[in-house]
Amino acid sequence: MDSSLPRWVEDEIHNWARSQWEGEWPGPGRPVHDEPAVCAFPAEPGHEDDDEPPRIPVNHDRARKVNRLYEALPLAEQRVIQAEYTRRNEYGDLPAHLRQDKACRVIGIALPYYKVALGSFKQKVWRMFE
């Protein structure tokens, strides 16, 4: 991550990415009054006998704001954000530089454009919540 950006910017984007896997707004089984005030990442540890890791709740209001930024991007830049956050598993366990190289080939863009698109999106998220 860009060292000039605060950590919470990444947390906001991860909150948005989690929301993308929930389905239609507001998502299935969303508690109305338990929405967190800020995006907490990572989650607090659960019980050791739990079969599933604890789920990090999605702050839907904040995720909608990030989604508006995402939807305003050109398609190639949306695909960059997908490769980094919502579709990362399609690139296996590759280190970041190899995943980005592969994503560039799939998307059909140059690596410098990829990095600029990613950094620009993070800057927009930062400005939105600043």
Side-chain angles (χ1 to χ4, degrees), residues 54-101:
R55 294 188 62 154
I56 302 169
V58 173
N59 183 317
H60 291 278
D61 181 52
R62 295 174 81 85
R64 281 187 195 100
K65 292 177 181 179
V66 174
N67 196 60
R68 283 194 294 273
L69 293 175
Y70 167 80
E71 288 179 344
L73 297 173
L75 181 58
E77 293 180 22
Q78 287 181 352
R79 294 193 65 203
V80 167
I81 304 308
Q82 291 170 8
E84 286 292 314
Y85 297 101
T86 60
R87 300 179 77 172
R88 194 174 188 152
N89 65 335
E90 293 178 19
Y91 299 95
D93 291 331
L94 294 174
H97 70 284
L98 295 177
R99 183 185 68 253
Q100 290 176 355
D101 285 341

Side-chain angles (χ1 to χ4, degrees), residues 25-58:
W25 298 109
R30 176 179 152 228
V32 177
H33 61 286
D34 289 341
E35 192 169 281
V38 296
C39 299
F41 186 82
E44 294 179 16
H47 298 294
E48 292 181 20
D49 58 346
D50 286 346
D51 291 337
E52 290 184 22
R55 294 188 62 154
I56 302 169
V58 173

